[in-house]
Amino acid sequence: MLEIHGGSDKSVIYNGGNGEGGTEPAIPTWLGWWAERNACTSSTVEDTFDGDVHHTTWACAGGEGVLQHWKIDDMGESIFPTYLDVLRGFTNEWVNT
């Protein structure tokens, strides 16, 4: 499962609260539910771009990277095309390993 989110998103607020769809959980809480559902046991975080981009991966049911999350601190609601290049290098590296 891949989740990409902007820390400045006003429609689905990263830390939860009243968003465009009503009251919503914080994204880390929502990811925790996915981690539980997929029997994830641990996660690692890699910070890049001077600490503004955070990539979290979980080990789930014996598989690495089953659940992945990208948070881009200053990004709002839409990532394309502005932030596509940020992810392209990491995605290509991940796919080719």
Side-chain angles (χ1 to χ4, degrees), residues 21-85:
T23 303
E24 300 165 341
I27 297 302
T29 300
W30 183 79
L31 288 163
W33 295 334
W34 276 103
E36 182 179 332
R37 176 183 176 155
N38 288 294
C40 302
T41 56
S42 63
S43 65
T44 58
V45 179
E46 178 184 5
D47 296 327
T48 57
F49 293 90
D50 295 324
D52 292 329
V53 176
H54 318 278
H55 180 214
T56 307
T57 59
W58 283 260
C60 308
E64 288 292 327
V66 173
L67 175 59
Q68 295 195 30
H69 167 62
W70 291 88
K71 179 186 179 201
I72 303 170
D73 290 340
D74 296 328
M75 185 179 76
E77 184 174 345
S78 177
I79 69 163
F80 298 103
T82 307
Y83 292 96
L84 184 59
D85 287 336

